[in-house]
Amino acid sequence: MKLTAKLTLGILLLLCVTLSLGGGWTIQQNLHHALLRAESEGTALHSQQRVALEQQLRSAGASDVLEAAEAAGQYTSQMQSALAGQTLNFSLLTTQGTTVYPYLDASISYTDQLAAIQAGSGEVYHQHGGDRYHLLLAAPLRCSVDSLWLITAYDVTTLYAERDRQIAQYFVLECTALVLSGLAAAGFARIVTRPLRELESAARKIAGGAYEHRVSPGQGDEIAALGRSFNTMADAVQQHVAALEEQAARQSRFVAAFTHELKTPMTSILGYSDLLRLGEQSAAQRQQAADYIYHEARRLETLSQRLLLLLGIREGGIELVPTRMEAVLQDVCRSLPAGFPVRVVSDCVHGACAAADRSLLADLLRNLVLNAAAASAAGETVYLRCRKEGHTLCLQVQDHGHGIPPEELEKITEPFYMVDKSRSRAAGGSGLGLSLCEEIARAHGSRLEFESKLGEGTVVQLRLREVKA
Amino acid sequence: MKLTKRICAGVLIGIVCLGLLCIPRIWAFVAEKSFLGSTTPRPSQNLLLSERARRIPVLYAVHAADMLPLPLLPNAAVDWQSAEDPARELETFLCVADDLEHAGVLTHSDRTALEEVLADEQRYLRTAQNDLFSYLSRGYDASLLYPVRQFFCCVHTESGLALTATLPLEAGQSADDMLHAYLDYLGLDVLGDWQEITPPVSEFSEGEGAAMWSAEGQVYLYCAKQPQETTIGITAMSEDDVREFF
């Protein structure tokens, strides 16, 4: 069942119960109060009739039940003319149950009269017979006839008829109210659930691939908050999907580049080995072929080592220990070969220490220095710095070389990506250097930041959190 | 949801709603079944006497007078007749006056003065009678040169007790003493809940007054003493009336 239908039915049932119980209670209360008024009036009338009958019996000098009946008859005749249309409704009974003078409505049985006498002069007996309702009031008469009781009946049929009329009227009222309320509740439920339907539609569209679809959340209530949360979730899903797509694309590029990087040396190796198999080359040619095969195989070995290192860092992580940056920078400078084509100026703030893997961090900086040297003209200066910014250490490699084009900056850390492929390969580059640096930086909880201007140079920096030595 | 299921659900919901809508009728039916044939206490009412109080003749007569209604005071409802035998009527009344004297309501001098006044003017006496009471009064005569002094007496026929009396004299004892003696005279001292009430000042502006009310008897007993006129009497009065007037 749909939520709209559930809401509508819930409201209707609640209204139905409330109206019915409220109506039932109100109608019963109305009858109760009307009966109380009738009891008061009936009691007053009964008292008057009692005194009047007593007076009549006394005046008539009634001393036995027959005379009493005669006196009651006279009283009835007098009263009927005096009452002008109102019904006189009473009977006289002895305590033993002998009816002395019956002048009661036919619907009031003898048993009812006895029950009224049994109830006594302080009670009202509620009688129902046929389609009539009466209040019966009994009291002993003060006269010379022993044990004579007066039973007065007060007709309250109209009160019960009024109650039945109220019930019927209320039923019609309830039905009308329910129909109108049902329509209103259905409309209300549709309005309330409209944002939910929008959400459901949006969710279906997003599931179908329309990740950019959003809902208009409205303002204020919980459903608006749900709409906002839904949009936030859709943003997150869209970003995640975009990231996954980007990762998949990167992996595709990686596989393509890796294949290409394998194919180039393998082609050389196959070509030269095939040449050697022919067996009629000169010694110099054989030597050249063997050299090519050797160098290309070495390139493949270096490639595989770097790939292994890259995967190892990605999957296994590294152990970080407090490491003095001065020592790392010294390691970098020492590792540079003699006759390095550029001048490396190292500058480190005294006592700087960070959580790091000393050899990997040195390897990262060395790679950056080598790249900086490759981008610079011979004799230029490359700066290797470690500065302090608050509680952060900023490791920086700066050159004044030819710079990197802005459109290349985002891709240069991808495996096998080379800005100038021919020049890089000629320099023995595998295209994995910056990828490896990026992974090492990530393993240190940081990332490489590049700033470069064509013709002016490049600054690469890495931020590490300072720790105590 | 299939159409059949929807129809079934609709019918079911309709039945439930109809059942709920019938709650007032079911409620009325159940209440009626348990209520009819039962008894409820009679509502307490003004001037409704208890069975014990009803057995006291004077009280019964006072309340019967209120209900029938029969007057206790000389109003237009009394069918006055000139006394056919004024001497006998006076004698009958003087018997009542004797009883009042014996009860201490009137002093002997009051009794004597009353006899003298009424004997002088017995030709003006008028009488009336109904099922409960007999009345004696002095009528107005335009030929008299002086203002006619008030005289009225209502006697309960069954007991012979004076229920109201306006006497043409200033009684010899205090209104308070007269009232207590009158209470004993009527035999209403058996009701133990008499409470004294201060009558309105204007009613007794030239004399003194005393009054009492009994909740059980639902009656007001009063005595007013003014120059040349003394009134004693009893009347039915409910608690609501007592609250309203006093």
Side-chain angles (χ1 to χ4, degrees), chain A residues 2-12 181-197 223:
Chain A
K2 285 189 173 179
L3 183 62
T4 311
K6 282 183 186 173
L7 269 177
T8 309
L9 277 178
I11 292 171
L12 272 184
S181 308
L183 292 174
F188 173 72
R190 279 195 70 77
I191 291 170
V192 166
T193 55
R194 188 189 298 154
L196 295 178
R197 284 197 301 279
I223 295 179

Side-chain angles (χ1 to χ4, degrees), chain A residues 432-450:
Chain A
L432 285 174
L434 280 178
S435 297
L436 200 55
C437 290
E438 179 69 13
E439 279 309 318
I440 293 170
R442 200 172 291 154
H444 282 81
S446 182
R447 57 187 288 272
L448 293 180
E449 297 167 20
F450 292 88

Side-chain angles (χ1 to χ4, degrees), chain B:
Chain B
M1 201 192 287
K2 282 184 182 173
L3 186 64
T4 321
K5 276 189 178 175
R6 283 188 181 186
I7 291 171
C8 287
V11 169
L12 187 68
I13 289 162
I15 291 170
V16 170
C17 281
L18 203 63
L20 289 172
L21 290 181
C22 286
I23 284 179
R25 191 164 289 280
I26 296 165
W27 189 336
F29 178 78
V30 172
E32 193 176 300
K33 280 285 166 198
S34 62
F35 184 62
L36 291 174
S38 68
T39 58
T40 49
R42 254 176 235 191
S44 59
Q45 280 197 318
N46 286 336
L47 300 178
L48 191 66
L49 278 184
S50 66
E51 290 302 318
R52 187 176 93 98
R54 271 176 61 85
R55 281 194 285 274
I56 301 171
V58 171
L59 271 185
Y60 176 83
V62 169
H63 283 275
D66 190 66
M67 281 184 187
L68 287 175
L70 297 171
L72 286 171
L73 291 172
N75 60 21
V78 179
D79 184 19
W80 293 108
Q81 306 287 331
S82 293
E84 288 177 8
D85 187 355
R88 193 172 62 82
E89 297 292 347
L90 182 60
E91 195 178 335
T92 307
F93 169 70
L94 289 174
C95 289
V96 175
D98 287 341
D99 292 341
L100 287 170
E101 185 191 341
H102 290 144
V105 180
L106 298 177
T107 60
H108 181 67
S109 56
D110 293 339
R111 158 73 177 76
T112 310
L114 191 59
E115 186 178 359
E116 283 172 7
V117 170
L118 292 177
D120 284 349
E121 300 174 350
Q122 58 178 288
R123 62 185 177 282
Y124 300 116
L125 287 179
R126 295 185 305 164
T127 61
Q129 193 148 9
N130 57 34
D131 292 339
L132 282 176
F133 311 116
S134 55
Y135 306 90
L136 185 65
S137 166
R138 179 172 56 187
Y140 173 72
D141 190 327
S143 65
L144 291 177
L145 295 176
Y146 51 88
V148 175
R149 283 182 290 180
Q150 285 282 333
F151 169 69
F152 170 76
C153 183
C154 171
V155 178
H156 180 218
T157 315
E158 185 185 333
S159 60
L161 295 171
L163 297 187
T164 50
T166 302
L167 308 175
L169 55 91
E170 185 173 352
Q173 55 183 339
S174 72
D176 199 44
D177 290 344
M178 276 184 82
L179 189 70
H180 282 93
Y182 186 53
L183 177 68
D184 295 341
Y185 164 78
L186 292 175
L188 294 181
D189 50 334
V190 293
L191 302 175
D193 63 343
W194 287 102
Q195 40 189 298
E196 297 200 0
I197 289 172
T198 307
V201 174
S202 59
E203 199 174 321
F204 308 107
S205 53
E206 293 180 34
E208 59 168 322
M212 285 193 286
W213 180 76
S214 162
E216 189 184 358
Q218 297 276 298
V219 282
Y220 174 70
L221 206 63
Y222 58 93
C223 174
K225 223 177 91 172
Q226 293 180 82
Q228 299 194 337
E229 187 175 298
T230 301
T231 302
I232 52 172
I234 182 171
T235 186
M237 190 173 280
S238 69
E239 189 170 0
D240 290 348
D241 291 340
V242 170
R243 276 207 210 97
E244 189 180 342
F245 296 136
F246 307 109

Side-chain angles (χ1 to χ4, degrees), chain A residues 274-297:
Chain A
D274 197 35
L275 189 68
L276 288 174
R277 282 173 64 199
L278 292 174
E280 291 181 359
Q281 284 78 23
S282 62
Q285 280 178 320
R286 282 202 302 275
Q287 182 60 45
Q288 188 189 10
D291 283 349
Y292 266 110
I293 290 169
Y294 176 76
H295 284 296
E296 290 307 308

Side-chain angles (χ1 to χ4, degrees), chain A residues 302-303 305-314 360 363-364 367-368 412-416 430-444 448:
Chain A
T302 308
L303 184 66
Q305 280 175 348
R306 292 205 160 201
L307 271 174
L308 281 174
L309 183 60
L310 193 63
L311 291 173
I313 292 170
R314 274 184 185 170
L360 282 178
D363 203 22
L364 182 156
N367 260 317
L368 292 179
I412 56 176
T413 55
E414 286 182 19
F416 304 116
S430 62
L432 285 174
L434 280 178
S435 297
L436 200 55
C437 290
E438 179 69 13
E439 279 309 318
I440 293 170
R442 200 172 291 154
H444 282 81
L448 293 180

